[in-house]
Amino acid sequence: MDNIMSIVMAIFGATSQGLIWSILALGVYITFRILNFADMSCEGSFALGGSVSAILVVGLHWNPFISIIFATIAGMLAGVITGFLHTKLKIPAILSGILTMIALYSINLRIMGQANTPLLGESTIISIVKGLLPAAKAIGMKDSTLQYWVILLVGLLFAAAMIAILYWFFGTEIGCGIRATGSNEAMVRAQGENTDRMKTFGLVLSNGLIALSGGLVTQTQGYADVGMGVGAIVVGLASIVIGEVILHKRISFAAKLISIVIGSVIYRIIIAVVLQLGLNTNDMKLLTAIIVTIALSVPVLKKNKTKVVREGEV
Amino acid sequence: MLQISNLYKTFNANTINEKQVLNGVNLQLTPGDFVTIIGGNGAGKSTMLNMIAGVHFPDEGSLVLDGIDITLLPEYVRAQYLGRVFQDPMMGTAADMEIEENLALAYRRGKKRGFRWGITKEEKELYVEKLKTLDLGLETRLTSKVGLLSGGQRQALTLLMATLQKPKLLLLDEHTAALDPKTAGKVLELTDQIIRANSLTALMVTHNMKNAIQYGNRLIMMHQGKIIYDVAGEEKKNLQVTDLLSKFEIASGEEFANDRMILS
């Protein structure tokens, strides 16, 4: 009974975490799927969002909500850099992202002045929202359970808001231009749009979302770490492909965005369950790689095999 | 209308692969000209069109379109004056997007794109009307992904997109070469019809000499980066394929040895 209870709690915690991380996945979706641009700067901008948010709260005692706005802006600037490297200096997409990512490692250390910034004793987004609710005891709940509920609520609100914004944005003229750029650059130029501008726009939006996610993760886990972005890109991809495998591929854009959030939650649940079964956190990266591999290979395995019929056989 | 002066272009200069593709091209178009361009492989036909479109920039020379010097304008800026259809049916449309979304992108050619809605209701009605003129049944498939269309359908759609905003000049770069003969014929008919209906000025590269004679009011032949033959009006109408072959031999001093052009 205790065992089952702890698994239920783990899944509950994983769901709330999945919602917070889903914003990262939405950002990765913009570059990898819509823009067809393998943007590695994501790992750096995720930690950048965390660092900026943490230092503004701990160092300057700013309101944590304002801190994540600045985290988002910082991420957008990182996107501008990657866009500049790729479109103006003609550095290949992957390398542009890697350069930004590696540069951000040092920048994040500079921002925090150390490798790790705990938010101990500071008010966070979670503590502020929790403060608005009645105390855990008063509603007969464990404090940790209430904490999960708050994270769940915050994650749900942010994920819903971002889906709404993205749905609107990719319906606008610029949004359509970005989608077309990901599909056929030559055609977009022939139709009179600057593809460099479209790519930079997409990178800015993507890295802004990723940094926002980094800021929110910092706020919920109570610290920022310079290494928090390692593997973020694979986590984002895992969420996208899990979402694609579970929901059919030919679905509306809004449903696609929602499927990414669901994919992110499922990914966290898989991780939580496996951890409960005895693997430790050091195995997480290997596990993530395996999950992504499986999810990516499903369409290949599903493909119909040709049935070879030779003459004389029926 | 279009004034091409002394256009020179060498690819891979100072290497073993050096290739002089344009060797002093001069061409002047008058409004309403529908010019067909023929010539062997490597004659510089596509390069000339790409240079007008801004894909490549000339080493020397100038391009003036309707009084505007476009020699150094980036491809996406001069696109507002040009309609383009490519040889590869995949190149003119975005496969992952719907038919109406592709048309909406083309409808905004030369206009500033902002945060307005990417496609409006009134536009959709316009697109249905326009698609009906293609007579391919696409008007009932506005929300189909373009990737699902056949090569011929995609070329017809690209043609429509290229002329949705009336271009000062329409560039057709062997736009039927990748299609089967029947579809190619249909797309050519459609091209002629659209050019007449909108009284467009057009440049059409083709490998098919019969088509080059049949369509348009003027024909030019290119060889080794130069225009070696330029004919218009009655004289062009009365041309025969054999005339073109002998003209080529006289002008170039070589035999016209290109199966694709003789057989087609």
Side-chain angles (χ1 to χ4, degrees):
Chain A
M1 188 61 208
D2 240 21
N3 206 357
I4 292 173
M5 205 47 218
S6 71
I7 287 184
V8 170
M9 280 312 288
I11 289 176
F12 187 39
T15 307
S16 53
Q17 235 190 338
L19 287 170
I20 300 283
W21 283 77
S22 70
I23 293 160
L24 161 81
L26 290 172
V28 172
Y29 179 74
I30 293 173
T31 45
F32 269 74
R33 281 285 195 266
I34 296 182
L35 207 50
N36 212 357
F37 186 112
D39 178 28
M40 302 291 290
S41 46
C42 146
E43 309 216 337
S45 46
F46 187 76
L48 175 67
S51 309
V52 168
S53 175
I55 208 66
L56 289 179
V57 169
V58 175
L60 303 173
H61 302 286
W62 283 19
N63 180 312
F65 282 99
I66 293 176
S67 84
I68 60 162
I69 292 175
F70 277 84
T72 310
I73 294 171
M76 289 172 147
L77 288 176
V80 172
I81 303 285
T82 306
F84 177 80
L85 294 179
H86 178 63
T87 62
K88 294 287 175 262
L89 304 184
K90 307 290 176 205
I91 298 170
I94 293 237
L95 195 53
S96 310
I98 290 175
L99 289 174
T100 308
M101 173 185 84
I102 211 75
L104 281 173
Y105 190 85
S106 296
I107 290 171
N108 291 338
L109 281 171
R110 279 276 179 191
I111 289 172
M112 294 196 288
Q114 60 206 25
N116 189 298
T117 306
L119 301 182
L120 280 176
E122 301 289 341
S123 64
T124 64
I125 287 180
I126 304 305
S127 74
I128 288 175
V129 175
K130 212 163 132 192
L132 299 174
L133 302 170
K137 257 196 195 135
I139 45 176
M141 212 185 259
K142 265 201 270 178
D143 193 57
S144 61
T145 315
L146 182 66
Q147 178 96 3
Y148 280 150
W149 275 110
V150 172
I151 298 176
L152 194 77
L153 182 72
V154 170
L156 208 56
L157 284 177
F158 272 95
M162 292 311 130
I163 286 178
I165 289 174
L166 290 181
Y167 184 77
W168 163 78
F169 178 75
F170 282 103
T172 65
E173 291 170 345
I174 290 182
C176 286
I178 293 176
R179 280 158 56 211
T181 302
S183 179
N184 184 348
E185 275 188 52
M187 172 261 195
V188 175
R189 279 195 295 271
Q191 299 305 343
E193 186 50 84
N194 184 350
T195 46
D196 288 352
R197 180 166 158 250
M198 291 295 108
K199 284 186 197 169
T200 309
F201 239 112
L203 285 167
V204 165
L205 188 63
S206 162
N207 282 289
L209 282 173
I210 291 163
L212 169 64
S213 182
L216 286 173
V217 167
T218 291
Q219 294 287 326
T220 51
Q221 69 186 8
Y223 67 92
D225 187 278
V226 74
M228 67 192 279
V230 175
I233 208 157
V234 190
V235 173
L237 278 178
S239 312
I240 294 168
V241 291
I242 292 172
E244 278 173 359
V245 166
I246 287 170
L247 291 165
H248 205 272
K249 252 197 164 176
R250 295 213 179 278
I251 48 176
S252 74
F253 186 61
K256 244 176 211 167
L257 294 177
I258 293 168
S259 82
I260 293 165
V261 176
I262 295 171
S264 172
V265 169
I266 291 172
Y267 165 76
R268 286 291 153 189
I269 291 175
I270 295 172
I271 296 281
V273 168
V274 176
L275 288 180
Q276 284 290 318
L277 295 178
L279 286 179
N280 70 42
T281 44
N282 291 335
D283 301 325
M284 285 240 310
K285 300 268 187 275
L286 173 64
L287 203 63
T288 309
I290 293 173
I291 292 173
V292 174
T293 308
I294 293 173
L296 283 175
S297 58
V298 165
V300 180
L301 300 175
K302 262 191 183 166
K303 249 189 197 149
N304 288 337
K305 300 252 172 11
T306 308
K307 192 181 164 200
V308 181
V309 181
R310 293 189 187 81
E311 212 182 313
E313 292 175 20
V314 177
Chain B
M1 180 66 218
L2 176 72
Q3 172 90 47
I4 301 179
S5 319
N6 290 315
L7 219 53
Y8 284 88
K9 179 72 181 180
T10 305
F11 285 127
N12 305 314
N14 304 321
T15 71
I16 194 154
N17 292 322
E18 183 172 297
K19 167 112 181 89
Q20 189 163 26
V21 274
L22 292 185
N23 196 1
V25 171
N26 287 289
L27 181 67
Q28 187 156 15
L29 299 189
T30 48
D33 263 354
F34 177 7
V35 183
T36 55
I37 307 172
I38 55 168
N41 291 329
K45 312 179 297 291
S46 290
T47 307
M48 185 173 80
L49 248 61
N50 279 333
M51 214 154 274
I52 297 169
V55 179
H56 308 304
F57 291 93
D59 297 334
E60 223 184 296
S62 74
L63 294 157
V64 178
L65 180 65
D66 209 10
I68 308 155
D69 189 335
I70 58 166
T71 318
L72 297 172
L73 283 186
E75 185 183 358
Y76 72 90
V77 177
R78 65 175 87 175
Q80 62 185 299
Y81 311 121
L82 303 169
R84 288 161 70 191
V85 186
F86 311 89
Q87 178 173 0
D88 181 355
M90 306 297 144
M91 248 180 98
T93 45
D96 301 333
M97 296 174 78
E98 297 166 0
I99 291 178
E100 61 178 18
E101 288 175 328
N102 272 277
L103 285 165
L105 278 164
Y107 190 61
R108 285 164 180 72
R109 184 161 51 80
K111 293 180 182 166
K112 192 115 188 80
R113 280 164 235 248
F115 291 107
R116 284 179 303 272
W117 213 236
I119 180 165
T120 64
K121 224 181 195 156
E122 303 86 72
E123 279 172 49
K124 287 185 192 179
E125 285 163 22
L126 173 77
Y127 301 156
V128 170
E129 286 306 309
K130 292 277 184 184
L131 285 168
K132 269 185 192 157
T133 62
L134 298 183
D135 199 21
L136 291 168
L138 294 180
E139 63 273 13
T140 58
R141 300 173 61 188
L142 276 179
T143 55
S144 293
K145 293 260 158 48
V146 169
L148 300 172
L149 304 185
S150 70
Q153 288 172 327
R154 281 181 82 159
Q155 285 307 65
L157 181 64
T158 309
L159 196 59
L160 184 60
M161 285 166 59
T163 51
L164 205 52
Q165 289 290 342
K166 188 179 170 181
K168 287 185 192 292
L169 179 65
L170 179 64
L171 301 173
L172 307 162
D173 189 0
E174 288 194 57
H175 67 306
T176 59
L179 308 175
D180 65 80
K182 202 177 154 207
T183 315
K186 204 169 172 196
V187 171
L188 266 175
E189 271 308 314
L190 204 58
T191 307
D192 195 44
Q193 191 187 314
I194 288 178
I195 289 175
R196 280 170 199 276
N198 301 293
S199 33
L200 299 173
T201 311
L203 281 174
M204 179 170 90
V205 173
T206 176
H207 258 113
N208 187 316
M209 286 197 258
K210 249 191 270 164
N211 291 338
I213 295 168
Q214 186 186 349
Y215 293 101
N217 64 329
R218 186 173 165 194
L219 180 150
I220 60 178
M221 185 187 281
M222 289 183 75
H223 182 65
Q224 293 182 342
K226 274 188 173 148
I227 293 173
I228 57 170
Y229 183 50
D230 188 341
V231 59
E234 279 303 310
E235 196 188 343
K236 182 201 173 261
K237 264 186 208 153
N238 300 325
L239 274 177
Q240 298 293 328
V241 172
T242 47
D243 297 336
L244 281 182
L245 288 173
S246 59
K247 281 278 187 261
F248 182 87
E249 278 157 27
I250 295 164
S252 68
E254 288 172 37
E255 204 163 320
F256 205 130
N258 186 332
D259 299 349
R260 229 174 117 198
M261 300 185 70
I262 294 165
L263 295 175
S264 58

